[in-house]
Amino acid sequence: MSLFSAALQSVPGLGRLWPAPRQEARCSSSVRGLEYIAPLVRTVEETPEPVGARVQGQIPAWVRGSFLRNGPGKFEFGNHEYNHWFDGMALMHQFKIEGGTVTYRSRFLRSDSYCANSEHNRIVVSEFGTLAMPDPCKSLFQRFLSRFEMPVPTDNASVNFVRYKGDYYVTTETNFMRRVDPESLETKEKVDWSQFIAVNGATAHPHYDPDGTAYNMGNSYSKQGSFYNIIQVPALKGGQDEALEGARVLCSIPAADKARPSYYHSFAMSENYVVFIEQPIRLDLLAIMTSRVRGRALSKGILWEPGRDTVFHVCNKRTGELSAVRYQAKALSMFHQINAYEQDGFIVLDLCVSDDGGTIGDFLIQHMRKSGEALDEVYNAVSRPLPRRFVLPLAVAADAPAGQDLNTLPDSRAMAMKLSNGKIFCTPEDLHGTDLLDYGGLEFPQINYARYNTRKYRYFYGCGFRHLLGDSLLKVDIQTKHLKVWREPGFFPSEPVFVPAPDGTEEDDGVVLSAVITPRQEKGTFLLVLDARTFTELGRAEVPVDMPYGFHGVFNASEATPTDQH
């Protein structure tokens, strides 16, 4: 293994990078008097045995299965505390819904990182924003030498639940993920991507074809340079027991700067293409590789370079061929795609986008535990993420004149301008009205994935962020640009997950699930169930537990029909 490869495997927590909202989309005035949220980013106890919830209202009887959530839940070991919110140990949550009743349980992921930290009662594995310090029991010379040891990559998979070949795994963005039992939340075996394919990890947001084939992306580093690899993992077949058996690199894309490749949290996929967004958030490989020697956290090796353009790479899923057309846009920061589909010779690409990636490492725990004007100042220093649509022409005539807008879709105001050098410069269309700014922009986007991923669609759901954490749920109608909103002051909902009704005929026939927490009272957690069409509350299931704010999750339906979200 090369030095770069070993070092970059140790970049934990990149999957938990928080969106850096766009500066131009600031609210009309600074926010004041933000809710104190420190209780939502503190260590909680796990609840390994199911506890019953008190249901108010009515949960439709057809909603049967487990709503699974993932995120940080432990922020210290002994006297050692993590510096960054993303560093906390993975805590898995399960809301099990059956016949209108709900039970809740949670368990810490028994990762190697968690077990080693617990055994030594201190932080011994570095995370995204926290550098593990040398063992104080060693001699001064031994502690000095330990700074030159290769960092150990974390398996603290606190980002998401994903599926490969029918099994559930929790993931981060190093080369490790963990299989888990979705019923008991028991930790199973550790899976190492590098044992199956020559990549240094994968994103926590794979995509799926209807037949179960999975797609993902992972970097690789060698003497030849840095590459972004599009990965294909085949669906379950007879005799294939390993999660990643049969995985292959579909396409390798060389980084524009081999010493500073782009960071990415997700990618987009249409029916026939994978779209990778090479954005100017850069990984300084030398800085990351030498972080332990320099005594600096890995997060210090991530740079925002607004002088660089954003590049869209389009790969054919069937052939693995990379499009010769070069698509560019101005510098943007993107963490979550919404959807992508093909229409009349174009790829329509919808993303949650920010114009400023400079605050990528600023979600320090000490900042999130501030109060009063100090907390307001932290929030007002960041910009807002907003949903935007890009349109990429799949074919460009050689004789098309420079300066011509190639987007001919009648229902889109996005532009795809041919430049004199033959490249296509893409200018997006906003997928929202001005009222979205009142809710702080939108992140954690979700759609009716099972039925509308890679297809033309009308609705998506997300969290509004008029705080450092999501404090509202939003439904966006792309056609009208109108919003529907659920919000209760003092409550903080998680990423919304859409569950389609089994007999539904419309795109929004179903429910939206979200775990809602509050810093105003202990054990104030509840599962919220909204009618996806009207966005009105159907019911809530109150659970007597404390639950920290987390990242991503899925719905594991009891029926055979999959309803997992990306």
Side-chain angles (χ1 to χ4, degrees), residues 74-92:
K74 183 173 177 61
F75 298 94
E76 69 285 313
F77 286 91
N79 295 323
H80 292 214
E81 295 187 355
Y82 289 112
N83 298 324
H84 205 283
W85 178 38
F86 308 152
D87 299 343
M89 294 290 98
L91 180 62
M92 303 173 290

Side-chain angles (χ1 to χ4, degrees), residues 359-398:
T359 58
I360 198 167
D362 286 350
F363 277 75
L364 301 175
I365 292 177
Q366 63 180 7
H367 287 169
M368 303 186 74
R369 291 176 179 171
K370 290 181 177 180
S371 61
E373 293 183 359
L375 180 60
D376 296 343
E377 183 178 352
V378 172
Y379 176 76
N380 289 318
V382 300
S383 48
R384 312 287 178 255
L386 292 173
R388 299 178 187 166
R389 169 166 290 177
F390 294 83
V391 174
L392 313 181
L394 284 168
V396 178

Side-chain angles (χ1 to χ4, degrees), residues 24-236:
E24 284 120 276
R26 294 188 184 280
C27 297
S28 57
S29 60
S30 296
V31 173
R32 292 287 181 263
L34 289 178
E35 184 93 11
Y36 178 63
I37 58 170
L40 307 185
V41 287
R42 294 194 188 277
T43 295
V44 300
E45 298 293 326
E46 66 180 1
T47 309
E49 298 300 323
V51 297
R54 185 169 70 93
V55 176
Q56 297 185 35
Q58 189 172 20
I59 300 174
W62 59 262
V63 183
R64 299 175 62 246
S66 295
F67 180 40
L68 304 172
R69 297 279 307 152
N70 199 359
K74 183 173 177 61
F75 298 94
E76 69 285 313
F77 286 91
N79 295 323
H80 292 214
E81 295 187 355
Y82 289 112
N83 298 324
H84 205 283
W85 178 38
F86 308 152
D87 299 343
M89 294 290 98
L91 180 62
M92 303 173 290
H93 310 266
Q94 176 206 71
F95 293 88
K96 190 167 186 177
I97 309 168
E98 187 76 30
T101 65
V102 177
T103 59
Y104 169 87
R105 75 163 84 204
S106 65
R107 297 188 73 171
F108 282 107
L109 178 70
R110 264 53 178 188
S111 61
D112 290 348
S113 298
Y114 177 91
C115 294
N117 293 336
S118 298
E119 179 183 353
H120 293 87
N121 198 32
R122 66 183 184 88
I123 297 171
V124 299
V125 180
S126 295
E127 298 290 339
F128 170 67
T130 304
L131 182 68
M133 301 306 294
D135 187 346
C137 296
K138 292 183 178 180
S139 68
L140 180 62
F141 183 64
Q142 288 174 321
R143 293 200 299 272
F144 172 75
L145 287 181
S146 69
R147 288 187 176 270
F148 296 90
E149 297 174 354
M150 194 58 64
V152 177
T154 188
D155 63 339
N156 177 37
S158 65
V159 182
N160 203 0
F161 279 86
V162 303
R163 290 187 76 175
Y164 291 102
K165 299 183 179 177
D167 287 331
Y168 274 97
Y169 298 81
V170 287
T171 57
T172 179
E173 290 183 352
T174 62
N175 54 310
F176 297 127
M177 62 182 182
R178 283 277 188 171
R179 188 168 71 90
V180 296
D181 184 334
E183 289 299 314
S184 66
L185 300 184
E186 180 183 357
T187 302
K188 300 291 187 178
E189 71 271 13
K190 181 168 66 174
V191 177
D192 184 348
W193 275 91
S194 66
Q195 298 301 307
F196 295 87
I197 196 168
V199 295
N200 299 98
T203 80
H205 291 286
H207 276 294
Y208 307 96
D209 275 341
D211 68 353
T213 301
Y215 296 84
N216 212 325
M217 293 202 61
N219 281 10
S220 61
Y221 312 97
S222 67
K223 293 180 181 179
Q224 288 71 41
S226 300
F227 296 87
Y228 315 111
N229 300 291
I230 299 173
I231 308 163
Q232 184 186 69
V233 182
L236 179 65

Side-chain angles (χ1 to χ4, degrees), residues 95 486 488 491 514-517 524-528 540-543:
F95 293 88
W486 180 94
E488 289 190 8
F491 288 88
S514 177
V516 183
I517 56 180
T525 298
F526 63 89
L527 172 67
L528 176 68
R540 62 177 65 184
E542 298 174 347
V543 184

Side-chain angles (χ1 to χ4, degrees), residues 264-545:
Y264 52 93
H265 181 72
S266 68
F267 63 100
M269 186 180 83
S270 66
E271 182 180 1
N272 297 294
Y273 298 92
V274 168
V275 182
F276 167 64
I277 300 95
E278 188 174 13
Q279 59 187 351
I281 299 177
R282 300 288 174 167
L283 306 178
D284 186 331
L285 300 189
L286 182 60
I288 291 171
M289 184 175 63
T290 60
S291 60
R292 194 163 185 173
V293 176
R294 298 181 299 114
R296 293 173 67 81
L298 296 164
S299 59
K300 301 301 181 181
I302 300 176
L303 310 172
W304 167 242
E305 299 183 348
R308 293 178 181 260
D309 279 345
T310 300
V311 179
F312 300 95
H313 301 274
V314 176
C315 173
N316 188 305
K317 288 165 55 179
R318 316 305 173 194
T319 66
E321 294 181 358
L322 198 62
S323 172
V325 181
R326 297 284 290 177
Y327 309 94
Q328 291 181 285
K330 70 175 184 176
L332 61 83
S333 170
M334 189 281 295
F335 291 87
H336 297 107
Q337 66 90 40
I338 304 170
N339 198 8
Y341 59 91
E342 297 155 37
Q343 179 181 348
D344 299 334
F346 297 88
I347 295 177
V348 178
L349 176 63
D350 295 346
L351 312 170
C352 284
V353 170
S354 159
D355 293 326
D356 180 8
T359 58
I360 198 167
D362 286 350
F363 277 75
L364 301 175
I365 292 177
Q366 63 180 7
H367 287 169
M368 303 186 74
R369 291 176 179 171
K370 290 181 177 180
S371 61
E373 293 183 359
L375 180 60
D376 296 343
E377 183 178 352
V378 172
Y379 176 76
N380 289 318
V382 300
S383 48
R384 312 287 178 255
L386 292 173
R388 299 178 187 166
R389 169 166 290 177
F390 294 83
V391 174
L392 313 181
L394 284 168
V396 178
D399 58 353
Q404 178 179 344
D405 180 11
L406 303 181
N407 178 18
T408 58
L409 295 180
D411 56 350
S412 171
R413 294 197 302 272
M415 298 178 68
M417 191 75 67
K418 186 177 180 181
L419 305 179
S420 58
N421 59 9
K423 297 179 180 179
I424 308 301
F425 192 85
C426 301
T427 304
E429 170 191 2
D430 286 338
L431 293 180
H432 63 89
T434 57
D435 53 349
L436 180 59
L437 302 184
D438 295 332
Y439 296 95
L442 181 147
E443 253 294 353
F444 291 154
Q446 289 282 334
I447 63 170
N448 182 343
Y449 190 89
R451 300 179 186 176
Y452 284 87
N453 184 51
T454 76
R455 301 177 184 177
K456 189 172 184 178
Y457 71 116
R458 180 171 179 176
Y459 305 107
F460 65 93
Y461 312 87
C463 282
F465 279 83
R466 198 169 172 82
H467 207 300
L468 293 175
L469 304 177
D471 66 342
S472 61
L473 294 173
L474 308 174
K475 176 185 179 181
V476 180
D477 184 330
I478 296 173
Q479 288 186 11
T480 65
K481 307 287 178 73
H482 289 164
L483 285 180
K484 290 184 178 178
V485 181
W486 180 94
R487 184 175 185 273
E488 289 190 8
F491 288 88
F492 294 81
S494 71
E495 169 193 58
V497 170
F498 178 88
V499 182
D503 57 352
T505 58
E506 300 297 326
E507 179 181 342
D508 55 354
D509 282 342
V511 298
V512 167
L513 304 179
S514 177
V516 183
I517 56 180
T518 177
R520 296 185 178 186
Q521 66 184 70
E522 290 187 356
K523 301 181 179 180
T525 298
F526 63 89
L527 172 67
L528 176 68
V529 183
L530 299 178
D531 182 303
R533 175 174 290 184
T534 64
F535 227 53
T536 56
E537 182 173 335
L538 296 175
R540 62 177 65 184
E542 298 174 347
V543 184
V545 298

